[in-house]
Amino acid sequence: WDWDLQTDLVWWSEGFESLFGFKLTEIESTSESWTKRIHPDDRDRVVSGLERIIKGSEALWSDEYRFQCKDGAYATVHDRAYIIRDNTGRALRAVGGMSDQTEQKKLEAQYLRA
């Protein structure tokens, strides 16, 4: 994904469709397409964490949270971003990627139960 922080436009790659089931034509092109699909119990923590990085001076952000798929189920994702800043340090863009960790988390839980 690629987020223009000045216009709030988000570009999603084709991988978004294969991971989460949404066709790119079905997904909004603003940051709301992301925030509204974060599990309600995770949303405040995740969004405030990313906002803190954008407002600060750090270049890297990452978090793990639940993200809603088209079928209504939640995938556990690891999301990370690189913040691109201008010469004054103002954040212009965030470029990142999400990876589905759902199966790995299930296997880890099974291992711990064993």
Side-chain angles (χ1 to χ4, degrees), residues 56-73:
S57 60
E58 296 177 58
L60 301 175
W61 168 83
S62 69
D63 207 339
E64 186 174 281
Y65 56 90
R66 293 165 289 178
F67 188 80
Q68 189 173 35
C69 301
K70 185 175 180 176
D71 67 3

Side-chain angles (χ1 to χ4, degrees), residues 3-23:
W3 179 20
D4 183 326
L5 298 169
Q6 307 311 299
T7 63
D8 194 35
L9 290 177
V10 177
W11 171 85
W12 296 102
S13 74
E14 291 79 20
F16 189 83
E17 182 175 339
S18 62
L19 281 177
F20 307 114
F22 295 100
K23 293 186 188 295

Side-chain angles (χ1 to χ4, degrees), residues 35-68:
T35 57
K36 76 179 189 179
R37 290 179 175 88
I38 298 172
H39 191 283
D41 293 344
D42 300 337
R43 188 175 299 132
D44 287 343
R45 173 185 53 82
V46 174
V47 172
S48 66
L50 180 55
E51 287 176 347
R52 186 178 68 256
I53 298 296
I54 289 170
K55 291 177 183 173
S57 60
E58 296 177 58
L60 301 175
W61 168 83
S62 69
D63 207 339
E64 186 174 281
Y65 56 90
R66 293 165 289 178
F67 188 80
Q68 189 173 35

